[in-house]
Amino acid sequence: MSGHSIIQVRNLSKSFGKNLVLNEISTDFEKNKVVSIIGPSGGGKSTFLRCLNLLEIPTSGQIIFDGTDLCAKDVDINKQRQRIGMVFQHFNLFNNMNVMRNLTVAPVRILGMEKEEAEAKAIKLLKRLGLEDKASSYPSQLSGGQKQRIAIVRSLMMEPDVMLFDEPTSALDPEMIGEVLDVMKMLASAGMTMIIVTHEMRFAREVSNRILFLDGGRIDEDRPADEFFDSPRSPRLISFLDKVL
Amino acid sequence: MGFFAQIAAILERYTPFFMEGVKNTLIIAALSVVLGLIFGTLMAVMRMCRIKPLKWIAVAYIEFIRGTPLMVQLMFIFYGLPMIGITFPDVSWIPNFSRFMAGIVAMSMNSCAYIAEVIRSGIQAVDSGQMEAARSIGFRYRESMTLVILPQAVKNILPALGNEFVTVIKESSIVSVIGIADLMFRTNDVIAVTYRSLPCLAIAACIYFVMTFIGGRFIALLEKRMRHERA
């Protein structure tokens, strides 16, 4: 293991009513590394990811982001969230704003960036993805793949220290999955710290440094990507891989 | 004399009567919706707020008002309140001011409950992912509301609010029972002097229909314009 951890998770538990979804999870996420989380549905993957930026409030445990315990009472969670990008399964672009405004509203309103500066930055990023002609479109006029790529750019505009991806390709038509994964690969090779919940096994293997298998609210296996697929140890992971590969 | 000839004769003679009724109906409907909107917004905020007692008060109010007849509410305010010492003052330069006030208070208290529900459901109909996206990028709750949620909610709320206005125009006919000279009251006046109820009621129905129809068209237009704005 090299580099220092940007997120440390300590004894994280989350229950919804009587239903224990996450059970005492502890793990570290390092800077500039890509970690994928896979596992059966209902295993707690999304809940785990959503706890990392406190979209779900953990029942107990700690999430230490760059030295700050996010669950502490005196922490301004809004300040911390600015540094944690999140990409959703259903894109969640702001429907009442065009693409340009989707990209610039947070940098301008939250970071106090000049509007012109933010727009120049947005154009630069859109050009890199070949989406500059969509700047004045509204989300309803875009394809799923375009929406998700714009959503990734929206996160990038804030220059986050880490990006969370919650099943970013699950709601896409098959022919659009590639274009989104390509953008994510680009980010990974640029050194972005990424935590990805995904069902795309090939992609996970290709892009991740490490893979977690989350099942029954616990991390059942935690290995470098190649080992994870080539020599899985946990019986549940073996049967899971049998089913999906 | 044929039916339409009767209508023509009545209109020739009593049009100013009907028009005064229309004026009062519109005043009551407009004021009730405006007041209903102000207090309805407040009620919707209470209904959704995290402070439990405020929420309970709002829920109880909304459920009670929606679950009892407007007629009872109106009677309660006009006849009931004075009995416990609460009266609306008379203002010398506005005839029948206290009657009017009772009517408007009852109508707007009623409309307030419906509007609160319209606003609440309009806000809750906005996809929860929108709020999550706004919060996850670092916006505070208030900013997320004003920048992302409310602009989308308005598109759900406005048409329903228009319908509420149309409903209030129709329902306001009930204030005639406490002696407010609205369209229904004036219609009864004309019936009383002409003994021709059918043509008079036909005239009243037509006038109500024209008012609600114009209101409805206006809302449809507004809705269409907003849809264009989005795309």
Side-chain angles (χ1 to χ4, degrees):
Chain A
M1 296 242 177
S2 62
H4 82 281
S5 344
I6 179 110
I7 300 182
Q8 297 162 292
V9 180
R10 293 289 171 267
N11 306 320
L12 172 66
S13 292
K14 171 73 185 176
S15 37
F16 294 104
K18 278 184 182 162
N19 186 12
L20 185 64
V21 180
L22 299 176
N23 188 2
E24 298 274 318
I25 289 184
S26 296
T27 187
D28 284 13
F29 296 100
E30 285 159 38
K31 254 197 173 132
N32 311 117
K33 293 289 165 71
V34 177
V35 179
S36 290
I37 302 172
I38 67 170
S41 6
K45 306 182 299 286
S46 284
T47 307
F48 176 70
L49 198 73
R50 290 159 59 85
C51 277
L52 296 181
N53 69 352
L54 256 58
L55 275 187
E56 301 290 351
I57 311 292
T59 309
S60 64
Q62 287 178 304
I63 293 152
I64 298 153
F65 170 64
D66 202 17
T68 311
D69 180 3
L70 296 185
C71 303
K73 279 224 161 63
D74 57 341
V75 168
D76 180 0
I77 185 62
N78 301 301
K79 272 258 169 332
Q80 304 300 323
R81 280 180 180 148
Q82 295 163 21
R83 303 170 53 200
I84 307 175
M86 182 144 192
V87 175
F88 297 86
Q89 181 178 354
H90 296 288
F91 333 119
N92 297 350
L93 290 177
F94 303 135
N95 291 327
N96 57 323
M97 305 178 187
N98 66 16
V99 167
M100 182 52 84
R101 186 118 197 280
N102 259 283
L103 301 184
T104 55
V105 65
V108 170
R109 291 267 180 161
I110 298 174
L111 304 178
M113 199 186 268
E114 289 298 324
K115 191 166 168 247
E116 293 71 29
E117 190 192 346
E119 287 183 351
K121 186 175 177 178
I123 288 287
K124 215 172 90 188
L125 286 167
L126 287 175
K127 270 193 178 142
R128 202 175 299 167
L129 302 190
L131 289 169
E132 68 270 28
D133 57 324
K134 300 293 178 197
S136 54
S137 303
Y138 277 80
S140 58
Q141 299 165 310
L142 302 173
S143 74
Q146 290 168 338
K147 280 188 217 176
Q148 194 59 302
R149 287 185 290 156
I150 302 282
I152 293 174
V153 174
R154 177 175 67 179
S155 281
L156 287 176
M157 289 290 293
M158 297 294 281
E159 300 191 351
D161 294 319
V162 50
M163 284 182 74
L164 313 177
F165 294 84
D166 188 5
E167 302 197 20
T169 59
S170 297
L172 294 177
D173 291 334
E175 73 269 23
M176 293 174 178
I177 292 177
E179 63 191 55
V180 171
L181 294 184
D182 285 343
V183 175
M184 292 170 67
K185 282 178 200 162
M186 213 162 79
L187 281 178
S189 56
M192 174 61 74
T193 311
M194 296 159 74
I195 305 173
I196 309 167
V197 170
T198 185
H199 293 293
E200 298 287 328
M201 298 299 156
R202 271 231 315 255
F203 166 76
R205 177 167 189 163
E206 193 180 330
V207 80
S208 316
N209 300 97
R210 212 175 109 211
I211 302 186
L212 308 180
F213 178 59
L214 203 63
D215 185 23
R218 293 186 146 272
I219 295 176
D220 211 37
E221 188 124 354
D222 175 359
R223 310 264 297 283
D226 285 335
E227 284 177 34
F228 183 91
F229 286 106
D230 292 338
S231 51
R233 290 189 195 123
S234 134
R236 274 191 295 186
L237 173 57
I238 293 170
S239 87
F240 177 74
L241 288 178
D242 265 351
K243 271 180 235 153
V244 297
L245 288 182
Chain B
M1 208 172 8
F3 183 65
F4 290 103
Q6 285 181 23
I7 288 184
I10 291 167
L11 278 179
E12 197 181 349
R13 196 131 177 229
Y14 297 103
T15 294
F17 252 68
F18 285 112
M19 283 306 123
E20 194 214 337
V22 167
K23 188 188 80 186
N24 286 338
T25 288
L26 284 177
I27 289 174
I28 288 174
L31 278 177
S32 300
V33 167
V34 169
L35 290 173
L37 183 60
I38 294 168
F39 290 104
T41 308
L42 205 73
M43 200 56 77
V45 169
M46 280 170 65
R47 173 81 171 73
M48 288 183 294
C49 90
R50 268 170 295 181
I51 304 164
K52 283 280 154 67
L54 287 183
K55 187 180 169 158
W56 292 332
I57 292 172
V59 171
Y61 179 84
I62 291 168
E63 292 298 324
F64 187 76
I65 294 286
R66 298 207 312 165
T68 52
L70 174 57
M71 175 77 104
V72 175
Q73 295 160 15
L74 182 69
M75 296 283 183
F76 189 88
I77 286 182
F78 185 68
Y79 296 113
L81 288 189
M83 294 187 134
I84 54 170
I86 302 170
T87 50
F88 295 106
D90 270 314
V91 177
S92 56
W93 43 275
I94 305 176
N96 277 325
F97 182 78
S98 63
R99 259 174 224 277
F100 247 95
M101 277 306 291
I104 288 168
V105 165
M107 289 294 298
S108 48
M109 278 182 71
N110 182 272
S111 163
C112 157
Y114 287 92
I115 289 176
E117 281 299 275
V118 163
I119 291 174
R120 184 184 65 90
S121 60
I123 289 174
Q124 285 179 349
V126 177
D127 176 31
S128 61
Q130 296 286 311
M131 178 56 101
E132 288 183 351
R135 297 307 307 273
S136 76
I137 210 164
F139 283 117
R140 288 163 198 289
Y141 178 81
R142 186 180 288 262
E143 293 168 313
S144 308
M145 268 300 187
T146 54
L147 285 171
V148 179
I149 306 299
L150 291 180
Q152 296 183 51
V154 165
K155 295 196 168 89
N156 306 331
I157 292 169
L158 270 188
L161 210 57
N163 289 336
E164 175 64 17
F165 183 61
V166 168
T167 304
V168 167
I169 289 178
K170 290 184 292 177
E171 299 271 288
S172 71
S173 60
I174 214 170
V175 298
S176 60
V177 302
I178 60 166
I180 295 176
D182 78 330
L183 176 55
M184 195 59 224
F185 189 88
R186 282 299 175 230
T187 304
N188 280 327
D189 280 353
V190 179
I191 292 173
V193 290
T194 59
Y195 298 107
R196 307 247 184 241
S197 43
L198 196 59
C200 289
L201 289 171
I203 291 169
C206 286
I207 297 175
Y208 273 116
F209 179 73
V210 167
M211 286 194 287
T212 55
F213 187 76
I214 291 174
R217 289 296 93 191
F218 180 71
I219 294 149
L221 207 75
L222 214 66
E223 231 176 305
K224 211 166 140 194
R225 274 230 338 236
M226 266 188 324
R227 223 175 296 137
H228 280 302
E229 233 168 73
R230 161 97 103 89

